[in-house]
Amino acid sequence: MNAQQPYEEVLVSPLYLAGSDGTGTAGFAPVAHWPHHYLDEGPCQLLVTSPDQRIRIGWFGDDFELWKISAAEEAVSSPRWTATFNHVTPAEIVAGLTTSLARDYAEADAYDGNGRFLARPSLYWADAMRPLTDAGWVRDGGAERGTVEIISPDGQAGALIDNRRSGWDDETVTLWAGPPGWGTRAEAIFTAGTPSHLIAATAAAMADSAPVIRERHQIHHRMEQLVTLTPAEPPAPQTPQAPTPLDVRRVAITQAVHRAAQAPRTPADLRVSAARSRTTNPAQNQSRTPGHFPGARPPASPSASHRRR
């Protein structure tokens, strides 16, 4: 880490190793229009729900499990499925899930009492993992019996599907990234009832090749050798806009005030100004002749003066 510029913004890639920015803004952005409930007591600090409260997105700001997201058939019924994201998981990956949830809810029939976010998962694990395999992630042949593991090309991320568990509340899919450790391993865990398209949406965000912005101090020191950091470019200069009528008036008033401040304002000032004009350049005053002034009489010739005598 550059100790002299810890707050410098940098572009980090791959995304899954960028860690959390500590705010969760990206994860909440797709559901910013949903009701927000700020909780003063308990570990959950913020709860964002769908308008009918069937979808719940909890933010546990001080916990290891930073996010807990669930969906139920009714606001008061038990969750059909649950997804948790730990404190190292980039919020941009969480946004893959919340974006899909917001779209599912918008497309659901309010009178049907159902929605795609409650669909039964596919029987085939490949449906949920397709975004990863399409991005070049490959199956690990050394996975335990009854499990399937997909590994990223750099070996620093993967997905584990556990087919040995069958209960709706069993944790069967884990997306992970980074070396093992409290501050380095990102994990997203889904229970067995999670619709496959929601896991796929999360996996697609995880495999996104676009870099994300972080401050240098937010990158764990163990991750520095595993990520690519590029200084973020300064914002492009804005195109100057034509002045408005109000701008023109303000400039005119400012100029008028400036001119007034330069002009004499009292009789004493006028006398001082006149005296200065007479004494500022004596050479110019001496060079002037009566002929320079309108109506001045020309000097009399010597002969004319003699005749008058």
Side-chain angles (χ1 to χ4, degrees), residues 244-257:
T244 65
L246 180 59
D247 294 332
V248 175
R249 288 183 58 191
R250 286 174 175 169
V251 172
I253 292 173
T254 301
Q255 292 176 345
V257 171

Side-chain angles (χ1 to χ4, degrees), residues 199-247:
I199 300 176
T202 311
M206 188 172 182
D208 191 346
S209 60
V212 293
I213 293 181
R214 294 288 186 271
E215 295 178 353
R216 281 188 179 272
H217 70 91
Q218 294 174 331
I219 307 301
H220 195 282
H221 66 90
R222 291 180 58 193
M223 310 298 288
E224 293 178 1
Q225 303 302 319
L226 303 177
V227 298
T228 299
L229 302 180
T230 306
E233 296 182 359
Q238 296 182 353
T239 304
Q241 299 179 352
T244 65
L246 180 59
D247 294 332

Side-chain angles (χ1 to χ4, degrees), residues 38-101:
Y38 297 90
L39 309 178
D40 296 330
E41 298 181 1
C44 184
Q45 299 177 6
L46 172 62
L47 181 65
V48 177
T49 67
S50 59
D52 61 6
Q53 297 193 7
R54 290 193 294 162
I55 300 174
R56 300 190 172 199
I57 304 169
W59 166 265
F60 298 73
D62 299 322
D63 259 7
F64 173 77
E65 291 183 346
L66 193 59
W67 303 79
K68 181 174 289 187
I69 302 175
S70 63
E73 295 180 12
E74 299 178 358
V76 295
S77 60
S78 300
R80 176 78 67 84
W81 58 265
T82 301
T84 57
F85 300 81
N86 75 350
H87 67 296
V88 181
T89 307
E92 292 84 356
I93 294 178
V94 181
L97 176 57
T98 56
T99 298
S100 188
L101 285 173

